[in-house]
């Protein structure tokens, strides 16, 4: 009997720590203890590991076994510790080499010894590489995901029996070699509704084109059945494809959340998340006793669509304010704080009043003025200040609905959006910004040059509309995007004028 040490990883948000799995086997009555702040899933590894070793043709030692997961102050959760515990027991009992080598072992075991899909594989492999390790053993079904991390050798393990034979040198397992074109699919056709399916609503389509070009948040207001949801779903189709770095960011979040299918190692399309208005606070922004990403982070680099926006409740919506500004969400608990990325394009949709027909020409509104004001007041001023484009979506004329001519396709709009994004990327290449909406006040002064007529118009508008500093800067950023779509180096008065048309309208009165 001896002591063995095996390396593995623990996740803390999207980051983590290297964990040393120490296994000591000593004389005494059989008892297996796991220490080092394990959760229930790690404690249950005792039975999984015991059955897996026996069903893999190896001998489970009938002695006193102590497993220590160090450092002890880091919370250990999930089933990814099954494989390192099993390897440690086999090494300590002399059935495989005592030191498996400077490698990391990750994976959940089935009772028959096969390895299952394990959540969080991508960030854990990235942790190993950042600590200078170059070999990682993972379940075979997760090899493609693990291989997204460059400069590391991935050993795909199908069963514990295969791993034992590999470590003994009997039947080596070949390293997994990723496809060289694994990022090429990012430029494939993007799925989703096409803009050509939307009849009319040209001004709303224009607003969505501006939003996609600059990463600006949008609020659509209109009666039921006018196409707000369809337009929001079309927005993903006109956004430019994910870059390789963005795809890795999104895939990492879904891997940690356990939402990445085993057969989809790399997410290739921008996410579209549409939570119901009954979603909990933790479900929207993330949280829980042991924090997990919420809908806000799951929509990172994509679209977060909040239908029936006022129904979400003021408290839940106000929590979005800081993440929308900073592009991150920080969740603090007694055990520590974790940070998740949350760079989203927010699209909200709402009715103008509780019944939905205020200002509608075909239906009579049954709401009183007080009811309308109370309903619209559910959206706080600071939240509305963080939404760049406020668009009314009226009912479409019957003649336009019956028109058989196709509208402009998403592919044409996406080409203009890509060209505008390319102009902004060239301008922002010295910074870490990806779009105009991410600029702060200093960057606005540096990159947003206004012609004299535009400066005068903006000064007049700021005085008459009593714009806050945030609203002032957002109008300039919006005008910068409009200028990019027009292929103009300087912001002109026409660009400021169009940006001003997307400011919040007055409330409807019954």
């Amino acid at each position: 009997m001896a002591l063995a040490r095996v390396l593995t990883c623990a996740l803390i948000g999207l980051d983590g720590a290297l964990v040393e799995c120490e296994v000591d086997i000593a004389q005494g009555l059989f008892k297996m203890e796991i220490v080092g702040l394990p959760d229930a899933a790690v404690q249950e590894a005792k039975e999984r590991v015991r059955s897996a070793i026996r069903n893999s043709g190896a001998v489970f030692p009938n002695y006193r076994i102590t497993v220590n997961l160090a450092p002890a102050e880091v919370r250990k959760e999930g089933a990814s510790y099954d494989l390192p515990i099993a390897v440690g027991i086999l090494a300590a009992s002399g059935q495989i080499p005592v030191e498996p080598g400077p490698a990391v072992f990750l994976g959940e075991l089935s009772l028959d010894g096969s390895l299952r899909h394990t959540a969080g594989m991508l960030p854990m492999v990235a942790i190993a590489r950042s600590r200078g390790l170059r070999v990682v053993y993972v379940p075979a079904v997760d090899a493609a995901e693990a291989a997204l991390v460059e400069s590391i050798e991935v050993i795909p393990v199908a069963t514990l029996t295969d791993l034992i034979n590999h470590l003994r040198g009997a039947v080596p397992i070949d390293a997994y070699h990723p496809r060289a074109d694994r990022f090429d699919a990012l430029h494939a056709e993007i799925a989703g509704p096409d803009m050509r399916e939307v009849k009319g609503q040209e001004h709303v389509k224009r607003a969505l084109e501006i939003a996609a070009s600059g990463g600006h948040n949008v609020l659509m207001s209109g009666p039921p059945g006018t196409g707000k949801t369809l337009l929001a779903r079309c927005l993903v189709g006109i956004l430019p494809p994910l870059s390789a770095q963005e795809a890795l960011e999104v895939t990492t979040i879904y891997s940690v959340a356990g939402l990445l299918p085993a057969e989809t190692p790399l997410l290739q399309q921008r996410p579209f998340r549409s939570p119901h208005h009954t979603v909990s606070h933790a479900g929207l922004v993330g949280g829980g006793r042991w924090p997990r990403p919420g809908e806000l982070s799951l929509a990172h680099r994509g679209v977060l669509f909040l239908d029936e926006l006022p129904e979400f409740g003021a408290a839940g919506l106000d929590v979005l304010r800081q993440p929308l500004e900073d592009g991150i969400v920080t969740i603090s608990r007694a055990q520590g704080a974790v940070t998740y990325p949350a760079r989203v394009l927010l699209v909200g949709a709402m009715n103008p009043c509780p019944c939905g027909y205020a200002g509608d020409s075909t239906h009579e509104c049954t709401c009183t003025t007080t009811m309308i004001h109370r309903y619209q007041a559910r959206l706080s001023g600071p939240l509305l200040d963080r939404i760049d484009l406020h668009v009314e979506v009226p009912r479409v004329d019957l003649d336009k609905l019956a028109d058989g001519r196709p509208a402009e396709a998403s592919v044409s709009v996406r080409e203009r959006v890509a060209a505008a994004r390319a102009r902004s990327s060239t301008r922002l290449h010295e910074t870490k910004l990806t779009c105009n909406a991410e600029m702060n006040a200093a960057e606005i002064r540096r990159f947003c040059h206004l012609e004299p007529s535009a400066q005068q118009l903006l000064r007049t508008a700021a005085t008459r509309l009593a714009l806050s500093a945030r609203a002032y800067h957002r109008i300039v950023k919006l005008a910068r995007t409009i200028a990019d779509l027009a292929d103009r180096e300087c912001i002109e008065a026409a660009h400021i004028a169009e940006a001003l048309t997307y400011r919040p309208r007055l409330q409807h009165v019954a």
Side-chain angles (χ1 to χ4, degrees):
M1 302 298 104
L3 173 68
R5 294 181 175 87
V6 179
L7 294 178
T8 185
C9 294
L11 276 179
I12 306 173
L14 296 187
D15 300 318
L18 205 62
V19 172
E20 188 174 61
C21 176
E22 299 176 315
V23 178
D24 177 72
I25 301 178
Q27 294 289 340
L29 294 177
F30 172 74
K31 185 178 182 181
M32 184 173 177
E33 290 288 345
I34 300 178
V35 297
L37 209 59
D39 72 348
V42 180
Q43 290 287 3
E44 292 170 354
K46 300 174 185 177
E47 300 306 321
R48 289 194 299 271
V49 169
R50 184 178 184 180
S51 297
I53 289 178
R54 286 179 171 176
N55 292 324
S56 299
V59 178
F60 188 86
N62 195 24
Y63 297 97
R64 183 179 181 87
I65 303 173
T66 303
V67 179
N68 178 41
L69 302 175
E73 68 272 11
V74 176
R75 177 75 175 181
K76 319 300 188 310
E77 55 181 327
S80 63
Y81 298 94
D82 290 4
L83 186 60
I85 291 174
V87 171
I89 291 174
L90 293 171
S93 59
Q95 300 181 67
I96 60 174
V98 176
E99 294 296 336
V104 171
F105 293 80
L106 303 164
E108 175 185 352
L109 286 169
S110 298
L111 297 184
D112 63 357
S114 61
L115 274 80
R116 297 177 179 271
H117 167 61
T118 305
M121 190 59 63
L122 177 59
M124 287 191 289
V125 174
I127 294 166
R129 186 194 62 178
S130 67
R131 296 302 180 89
L133 297 166
R134 290 295 177 263
V135 180
V136 59
Y137 292 82
V138 303
V141 294
D142 295 326
E145 178 185 347
L148 294 174
V149 180
E150 297 180 349
S151 303
I152 196 163
E153 183 180 356
V154 176
I155 308 297
V157 182
T159 66
L160 185 57
T161 302
D162 294 342
L163 179 59
I164 293 172
N165 292 330
H166 171 81
L167 294 176
R168 288 174 175 172
V171 184
I173 301 174
D174 294 332
Y176 180 85
H177 297 288
R179 293 170 50 188
D181 61 346
R182 59 191 183 279
F183 291 108
D184 291 353
L186 296 175
H187 303 283
E189 189 69 20
I190 299 176
D194 198 290
M195 280 283 192
R196 70 176 66 192
E197 300 176 16
V198 183
K199 301 292 184 180
Q201 308 292 16
E202 266 52 2
H203 70 293
V204 185
K205 294 178 183 178
R206 167 67 176 175
L208 294 181
E209 182 178 341
I210 295 171
S213 300
H216 304 284
N217 300 323
V218 186
L219 176 60
M220 296 183 288
S221 175
T226 55
K228 299 187 293 294
T229 300
L230 177 59
L231 284 162
R233 292 186 178 278
C234 288
L235 182 57
V236 176
I238 64 175
L239 287 170
L242 288 168
S243 66
Q245 179 60 39
E246 290 173 337
L248 288 174
E249 292 175 8
V250 175
T251 301
T252 299
I253 296 171
Y254 277 72
S255 179
V256 169
L259 299 178
L260 186 67
E263 65 277 5
T264 308
L266 180 68
L267 293 180
Q268 301 174 353
Q269 298 176 359
R270 292 187 181 272
F272 179 90
R273 304 294 298 185
S274 180
H276 192 261
H277 61 77
T278 58
V279 66
S280 66
H281 179 283
L284 183 59
V285 300
R289 183 181 179 186
W290 301 107
R292 284 288 182 269
E295 295 289 339
L296 187 61
S297 294
L298 293 173
H300 179 62
R301 300 298 182 188
V303 175
L304 177 63
F305 177 50
L306 302 182
D307 200 6
E308 305 295 342
L309 189 61
E311 302 297 336
F312 279 81
L317 291 177
D318 283 343
V319 177
L320 297 176
R321 286 156 47 180
Q322 199 61 37
L324 289 177
E325 195 75 17
D326 298 337
I328 59 173
V329 55
T330 301
I331 304 169
S332 299
R333 293 292 182 269
Q335 298 82 7
V338 297
T339 299
Y340 294 112
R343 186 67 67 183
V344 304
L345 199 164
L346 175 67
V347 180
M350 62 178 289
N351 297 326
C353 66
C355 78
Y357 296 109
D360 190 15
S361 58
T362 59
H363 291 79
E364 182 179 358
C365 177
T366 59
C367 304
T368 64
T369 302
T370 302
M371 292 171 62
I372 296 176
H373 282 275
R374 185 182 297 117
Y375 178 77
Q376 296 186 356
R378 294 179 184 178
L379 304 181
S380 66
L383 177 63
L384 293 176
D385 244 4
R386 287 167 170 80
I387 298 177
D388 300 343
L389 296 108
H390 296 251
V391 189
E392 292 191 2
V393 188
R395 193 172 301 279
V396 182
D397 294 336
L398 181 60
D399 292 340
K400 290 185 178 180
L401 288 175
D403 191 348
R405 292 174 297 178
E408 186 179 23
S410 291
V411 62
S412 300
V413 182
R414 187 165 62 243
E415 290 176 357
R416 294 197 297 269
V417 170
R421 286 246 183 172
R423 297 183 189 104
S424 63
S425 297
T426 301
R427 186 170 54 250
L428 302 171
H429 74 280
E430 295 180 357
T431 70
K432 296 182 180 180
L433 308 181
T434 60
C435 59
N436 292 332
E438 299 175 9
M439 291 190 293
N440 58 30
E443 289 151 350
I444 289 173
R445 288 192 296 270
R446 178 181 176 187
F447 299 117
C448 299
H449 304 293
L450 281 70
E451 291 187 346
S453 58
Q455 292 177 352
Q456 181 59 41
L457 176 59
L458 183 58
R459 189 178 298 111
T460 302
T463 302
R464 293 184 178 180
L465 300 177
L467 298 177
S468 65
R470 181 183 290 112
Y472 178 92
H473 288 139
R474 288 190 176 276
I475 288 174
V476 176
K477 289 191 287 186
L478 192 59
R480 176 67 269 174
T481 300
I482 296 171
D484 286 338
L485 280 168
D487 195 14
R488 295 291 189 273
E489 186 63 31
C490 291
I491 299 174
E492 303 171 2
H495 307 145
I496 293 291
E498 183 176 358
L500 288 169
T501 64
Y502 297 114
R503 294 301 303 155
R505 301 291 196 276
L506 295 175
Q507 295 176 318
H508 293 282
V509 179

